[in-house]
Amino acid sequence: MTGTVAGFVLRLARESISLTQVGMAEALGVDLGTVQGRESGRRPLANMRAADVLDLRRRLLTLGAETTVLGFIDAAMDADRLISAALEPPAELDQHPLAGWVHTRSTAHMIAWALNGTTPPLLRNRSALSRRGAVPAAPLLPVAERCAFFENLRTAVDAAAGASDRFVLLRRQALYLASYDHSAEGVSWTVHALHGRRDALICRGWTPRWVEARSTATALVRQGDTRPLSDFIARAMVDDDTAEAANLAYWAYWLGALPDAQPDDAFMRERTDWEPVTLFHNLVQGLHQVPGYVDLYAHTLWALLTTHHWLPQAAPGPAARLGDRATLLLDEGRVSAQGRRDLEAVHYVLRDHR
């Protein structure tokens, strides 16, 4: 089990208190080797007892560690587990963690951080700390491990594609993560694999393949092809209540407004008990951060505000930021015709319910 990502987050937490490793060891009452082993990943946090991880997090909070950093510890441990499984795949497909639960945006961001050095958005604006010597800026995996990670993911996609439908979650999530490979070979394979799933994209409204189609369309955006996502919104979401509800539930889970872990994609048609204000806040934040997905964010915000008119009053700060961002996007003309309609409708809701 690798502990590289969680160890790096732990190091950021220590640095946010301005403690050296020696100082952290003294504050926690452990030896220096324990602190160094945890931060390097040689002693993975995931190997600790759950009670000990909880105690460590609370001790760090008491010492003054940044709450934003501490909030990534669980996602970092999830990322370490997924990376370990990709580097040393289990013998059976059903033992692969990508087949066992639906991962979230925080976990995906942690994985991307380890694969290509992309800092998670919530950590980008942290003040740079002065450090002695050459210190890595990200928990980046060595080149050989990154190559093995993507190669084994591609193998998992092919194996899951040839297996029964019960491995659709593994195939969907492995293919999505494979799209993080920016090498020429990786991009070529991913584009070919994604286009091989285009039959799912032609479906209208809700179908058993709706989640796969959504995942395929969003992964294609990462390859520079935004058209399938725009077509998916128009064909498989607009005017279909089941699909619209599933999209909101997916976003709620992805963005942390539905906190309990989900073993498969079935929750999207079943769960409506997510937290609207949290979802609204995180969608508005994402609209600023991920320009390639602006149409999907715009449509989802329209659907959310249509069903929860009171959100601008409950969350005036995000509502104001949304209004400013929507105006800018409309003035710049960087959205599709559907995106323009959605943003204009959002403007009306914001104006009438402030």
Side-chain angles (χ1 to χ4, degrees):
M1 167 74 73
T2 178
T4 303
V5 183
F8 193 87
V9 171
L10 190 61
R11 196 198 81 193
L12 293 183
R14 171 178 60 79
E15 291 177 343
S16 73
I17 316 171
S18 299
L19 284 178
T20 63
Q21 289 183 331
V22 172
M24 178 59 71
E26 293 175 350
L28 296 177
V30 299
D31 60 80
L32 177 60
T34 296
V35 172
Q36 293 174 332
R38 289 171 179 172
E39 291 189 5
S40 68
R42 294 192 306 272
R43 295 186 179 183
L45 293 188
N47 288 352
M48 295 172 61
R49 294 188 310 161
D52 291 337
V53 174
L54 180 61
D55 181 65
L56 175 61
R57 186 187 286 111
R58 288 175 175 171
R59 292 288 301 279
L60 289 169
L61 182 63
T62 301
L63 291 169
E66 289 184 22
T67 56
T68 300
V69 175
L70 293 178
F72 277 105
I73 287 180
D74 286 346
M77 289 193 293
D78 272 348
D80 282 331
R81 183 183 176 195
L82 290 172
I83 290 170
S84 295
L87 292 176
E88 296 183 15
E92 303 295 334
L93 289 179
D94 57 5
Q95 296 174 355
H96 200 294
L98 286 174
W101 84 90
V102 185
H103 69 254
T104 65
R105 181 182 67 165
S106 293
T107 299
H109 282 171
M110 292 289 104
I111 294 173
W113 205 11
L115 294 175
N116 53 41
T118 302
T119 305
L122 290 178
L123 297 178
R124 286 175 190 164
N125 296 325
R126 297 179 67 252
S127 299
L129 300 174
S130 59
R131 304 179 180 125
R132 296 179 180 178
V135 179
L140 201 61
L141 295 178
V143 173
E145 290 189 1
R146 275 178 274 165
C147 292
F149 176 90
F150 287 121
E151 181 62 32
N152 290 339
L153 272 187
R154 291 191 281 267
T155 300
V157 171
D158 292 337
S164 65
D165 288 343
R166 68 191 181 97
F167 293 116
V168 64
L169 180 63
L170 170 60
R171 182 179 70 235
R172 177 178 75 76
Q173 296 194 128
L175 181 53
Y176 183 83
L177 290 177
S179 69
Y180 287 160
D181 188 354
H182 300 319
S183 69
E185 177 186 0
V187 169
S188 176
W189 183 92
T190 301
V191 170
H192 178 76
L194 289 170
H195 282 281
R197 315 308 303 174
R198 275 184 175 269
D199 56 330
L201 293 173
I202 66 174
C203 299
R204 292 189 174 275
W206 175 265
T207 73
R209 301 188 67 186
W210 184 91
V211 181
E212 180 186 6
R214 185 186 186 282
S215 187
T216 299
T218 55
L220 282 167
V221 172
R222 188 170 288 111
Q223 307 305 319
D225 188 357
T226 60
R227 181 62 182 271
L229 181 57
S230 297
D231 290 345
F232 172 78
I233 294 169
R235 182 184 297 116
M237 289 176 59
V238 173
D239 296 328
D240 189 293
D241 291 343
T242 301
E244 295 283 18
N247 181 59
L248 287 173
Y250 195 174
W251 273 114
Y253 182 72
W254 183 250
L255 297 179
L258 182 63
D260 48 322
Q262 299 298 321
D264 54 48
D265 293 330
F267 77 94
M268 297 177 205
R269 289 197 62 185
E270 301 167 355
R271 298 295 294 271
T272 58
D273 55 334
W274 38 266
E275 215 291 304
V277 174
T278 300
L279 179 56
F280 181 56
H281 178 275
N282 289 335
L283 281 170
V284 172
Q285 191 174 57
L287 184 64
H288 287 69
Q289 296 170 342
V290 195
Y293 298 94
V294 62
D295 283 349
L296 183 56
Y297 274 92
H299 185 78
T300 305
L301 281 162
W302 165 82
L304 180 62
L305 289 169
T306 298
T307 54
H308 297 83
H309 290 294
W310 49 268
L311 277 171
Q313 295 174 328
R321 291 193 294 274
L322 174 58
D324 293 342
R325 182 61 173 167
T327 298
L328 181 62
L329 289 169
L330 289 169
D331 289 346
E332 292 178 344
R334 292 193 298 152
V335 295
S336 67
Q338 179 65 51
R340 173 170 287 275
R341 288 192 293 272
D342 289 332
L343 288 176
E344 289 172 346
V346 164
H347 255 307
Y348 287 128
V349 175
L350 293 176
R351 182 194 64 189
D352 294 341
H353 294 85
R354 281 182 176 175

